[in-house]
Amino acid sequence: MFGPDDAFLTTILKLLRQLPVYPMFGRGLTRLQPAYVEDVAEAIGRIMQRAEAPSMIFEFGGARVYSYEEFLRAVAHQAGLAPLLIPIPFAVWHALTWAFEILPGPLLTRNQVELMQIDTVSSPEMPGFGELGITPHSVEAILQRMLSNC
């Protein structure tokens, strides 16, 4: 999920602004489908208001599926940045997290690296925003709003 003042999009934007060379997880091929936090909140509200109460599992994916590299480029483009994206093998990230976890308040954990190795997209077979009449906001639209408020 993403939104203003989050730990995901805000952190990536901050790092893209600070680093002229941005280290990517792996080759940047992991697929992401970030959902806007307010879209998810609206969906939960609509589910709770439903008269019928069958147990259903919903998967909420955002407006677009990105590779990690595409996502970074989209965020950078919206912010007027052109960082050099450098692929870093996951083995290197795992080694770094072992070192980081010795320190108090690690910058990155093994669990975060493991999650970046797994595609996180919604399944087309599962109910999602569409079944609830919600059109998800795009990362670009929300990011543009966030940047104009800075």
Side-chain angles (χ1 to χ4, degrees), residues 62-76:
R64 178 177 164 200
V65 175
Y66 302 84
S67 70
Y68 182 56
E69 180 179 2
E70 289 170 338
F71 181 76
L72 292 173
R73 291 193 189 286
V75 171

Side-chain angles (χ1 to χ4, degrees), residues 24-32 66-69 116 119:
M24 273 192 310
F25 288 102
R27 294 181 310 181
L29 301 178
T30 304
R31 295 179 327 134
L32 311 168
Y66 302 84
S67 70
Y68 182 56
E69 180 179 2
M116 285 307 300
D119 290 343

Side-chain angles (χ1 to χ4, degrees), residues 62-111:
R64 178 177 164 200
V65 175
Y66 302 84
S67 70
Y68 182 56
E69 180 179 2
E70 289 170 338
F71 181 76
L72 292 173
R73 291 193 189 286
V75 171
H77 178 74
Q78 285 291 319
L81 304 169
L84 178 60
L85 303 178
I86 302 294
I88 305 291
F90 281 105
V92 173
W93 286 108
H94 282 289
L96 285 171
T97 58
W98 280 100
F100 287 157
E101 288 179 354
I102 294 171
L103 305 170
L107 299 171
L108 189 64
T109 67
R110 284 177 283 159
N111 289 343

